[in-house]
Amino acid sequence: VQHRASAREVDREWLLAQRRHACGHELGDDRFMPARRHGDQHALWCTPVDQLGDRGDAHRIAAGSEAFERDRIGVGGSNRIEMLGCGNRFRVCRGDAAAADDLPVTVHEKVLPNGLKILVVPRKGAAQASCALAYDVGSVNERVGQTGMAHYLEHMMFKGTQKTGVKDLAVDQRLRDELDRVLAETVRLEDLPADPERAKQIEALKAERLRLIQEQKQNLVINHLFTIYGDAGSTFTNAMTGTDFTSYIASLPPEKLELFFWIEADRMQNIVFRQFHAEKDVVREERRMYENRPAALFNEEVSRAIYGSHPYAHPVLGYHEDLRAMTRAELRAFWARYYAPDNAMIYVGGDVDPQHVFALAERYFGAIPPSKVERPRIPMLRIPRSGEIRLRGRGIGRDGVSLYH
């Protein structure tokens, strides 16, 4: 679920032209474009250009936007901002290279004894505090046969904990146990040779699954987390999963900052994988929608050709068969291995006191122990090639060139 402001879709060529005009020179990588804008939030992040054409959440930042200039850095006459960094010091440059004023931004850093790192960028006068909790885990950490786990876990993190998302915790536990039993038996029968009598048993189990899901829905507090954030004045709540990271984001008034720490500490410790089976239908539909995009499956073939058996070849959404067979116990083991303070980092930017942020982190995360589960080492990428590899695909899509190195 994502709240988006209505805005014109990003025009790729327009952004490239603005980049060249704003910077006065090529920075060597045109894949990274200006920030996206969501309602009242203006984030200084970059978007790969190969994602812009098909994403409804990437919006054009209007030229000379007064709101953007006032809210972000208080300079005028530009719609382009570059962030250049080295260590803990950043330079925020106005788009007009000839008249750019360097504005130093200090990043305050602290690492808790349990390994959690906190980064704070104070910005006086900012109406919202932008917060993110990022975990060092993505599709590259998945094993063959268990693809899609990192992304699926992101979905589960929005389904509530022992404290949120449900009316009766005991009823919820009973239904989750029954659903696990039904799914395990369904998968077992589906993996056996086809048989008319077995087909009837499978259909009966699927009907039982639907009945239990409907009963579970009656006990849920739908979108509870979004309601909690919204009631506190949050303008943006979302999450994203990539090959190397999973990040949970929220923007809310600085005086409500403690809510972010309470929610994320609760999710780090008390996730229950609610709606585990029902959400499979949602994620598999997301996978089907992705497959309907021009060249999507061909791009996966390219990744497999480039990376071979390396986990970088895994699609973030996973494969249908892996999603179908995934169990709650497998996903819980994945969560226990990677969702720990020693594998996470918190970012906060806004009108906040760094010492107050560090105190909140210590209060809510300080007692959470590091993971005791060993994290497998990701293999080094060494793929010997004996010659050229060519892949040919036919389908409907836009002309384009993608370069890999």
Side-chain angles (χ1 to χ4, degrees):
V1 179
Q2 185 172 356
H3 304 288
R4 299 171 182 157
S6 59
R8 291 174 293 176
E9 234 179 278
V10 167
D11 181 283
R12 187 177 310 211
E13 294 303 320
W14 182 89
L15 283 173
L16 290 171
Q18 290 301 313
R19 179 188 180 88
R20 288 187 286 269
H21 169 74
C23 300
H25 63 283
E26 295 295 327
L27 293 183
D29 191 350
D30 269 332
R31 292 180 302 120
F32 295 101
M33 292 288 98
R36 289 176 283 182
R37 176 176 178 172
H38 297 277
D40 295 331
Q41 183 208 27
H42 309 278
L44 281 175
W45 55 14
C46 295
T47 302
V49 70
D50 58 4
Q51 297 178 12
L52 297 181
D54 299 317
R55 292 178 61 109
D57 62 339
H59 305 305
R60 173 183 294 176
I61 300 173
S65 166
E66 292 181 1
F68 181 83
E69 292 156 5
R70 181 182 65 252
D71 293 346
R72 293 310 297 169
I73 57 175
V75 297
S78 170
N79 66 325
R80 178 68 178 122
I81 291 179
E82 277 294 328
M83 284 201 74
L84 309 175
C86 179
N88 283 350
R89 298 288 296 180
F90 289 84
R91 189 174 76 231
V92 183
C93 303
R94 200 172 62 186
D96 184 358
D101 296 321
D102 288 357
L103 301 177
V105 178
T106 301
V107 180
H108 300 262
E109 178 180 335
K110 181 174 182 177
V111 180
L112 300 186
N114 59 11
L116 178 66
K117 179 182 285 188
I118 306 100
L119 302 178
V120 183
V121 179
R123 299 229 16 264
K124 293 297 182 183
Q128 294 273 304
S130 297
C131 312
L133 172 61
Y135 292 95
D136 186 14
V137 60
S139 58
V140 74
N141 301 99
E142 299 162 353
R143 300 203 316 250
V144 174
Q146 294 186 336
T147 62
M149 276 198 168
H151 175 251
Y152 201 77
L153 182 53
E154 175 207 314
H155 278 242
M156 289 292 96
M157 292 287 281
F158 285 92
K159 301 304 179 183
T161 66
Q162 297 176 11
K163 301 176 182 178
T164 62
V166 71
K167 301 172 185 175
D168 189 319
L169 191 59
V171 171
D172 180 67
Q173 181 64 60
R174 174 181 63 81
L175 292 171
R176 283 188 276 122
D177 291 343
E178 291 185 28
L179 280 164
D180 285 348
R181 174 187 57 79
V182 169
L183 175 71
E185 182 65 11
T186 302
V187 171
R188 186 186 72 81
L189 293 176
E190 287 179 338
D191 288 341
L192 295 175
D195 177 84
E197 184 62 31
R198 192 170 293 123
K200 293 180 182 180
Q201 292 177 316
I202 292 173
E203 289 305 313
L205 286 169
K206 289 182 177 180
E208 177 69 3
R209 172 181 176 270
L210 291 176
R211 185 192 68 78
L212 291 170
I213 287 175
Q214 289 302 316
E215 185 178 351
Q216 185 183 50
K217 286 182 178 179
Q218 301 302 314
N219 191 45
L220 298 177
V221 181
I222 303 297
N223 292 332
H224 196 190
L225 184 142
F226 291 96
T227 300
I228 293 172
Y229 267 133
D231 289 346
S234 174
T235 58
F236 181 73
T237 304
N238 202 1
M240 61 189 74
T241 303
T243 54
D244 301 283
F245 74 96
T246 307
S247 183
Y248 300 89
I249 308 164
S251 291
L252 65 169
E255 63 271 18
K256 299 292 185 178
L257 182 62
E258 186 172 359
L259 178 63
F260 171 80
F261 284 86
W262 181 85
I263 286 177
E264 295 306 335
D266 182 42
R267 293 204 287 184
M268 183 182 284
Q269 301 173 88
N270 301 315
I271 191 72
V272 295
F273 305 95
R274 190 169 292 128
Q275 293 183 275
F276 175 82
H277 302 285
E279 196 67 14
K280 284 191 176 185
D281 298 333
V282 175
V283 174
R284 292 186 69 181
E285 178 62 21
E286 185 178 352
R287 169 73 194 187
R288 283 187 285 269
M289 291 172 63
Y290 164 78
E291 292 170 350
N292 286 333
R293 292 171 54 185
L297 294 179
F298 182 74
N299 287 337
E300 289 189 358
E301 290 185 35
V302 172
S303 293
R304 287 191 289 270
I306 293 174
Y307 297 117
S309 60
H310 192 275
Y312 267 132
H314 296 167
V316 173
L317 293 176
Y319 294 113
H320 281 290
E321 182 58 28
D322 293 345
L323 293 170
R324 181 189 73 87
M326 185 192 303
T327 67
R328 194 195 308 269
E330 291 171 340
L331 191 61
R332 177 174 287 278
F334 188 85
W335 164 78
R337 180 176 295 116
Y338 294 105
Y339 275 55
D342 57 316
N343 199 49
M345 183 181 297
I346 290 177
Y347 311 85
V348 177
D351 194 353
V352 297
D353 176 8
Q355 296 307 315
H356 176 59
V357 176
F358 297 151
L360 289 174
E362 181 66 48
R363 176 181 176 183
Y364 288 97
F365 288 89
I368 304 176
S371 176
K372 297 180 180 179
V373 183
E374 183 179 357
R375 301 183 185 102
R377 179 178 175 272
I378 299 174
M380 294 294 291
L381 188 59
R382 295 189 182 93
I383 305 176
R385 295 299 186 196
S386 58
E388 183 182 69
I389 295 176
R390 285 182 178 269
L391 295 174
R392 294 184 180 274
R394 182 182 297 273
I396 299 173
R398 296 184 305 275
D399 294 336
V401 175
S402 296
L403 302 178
Y404 298 84
H405 67 86

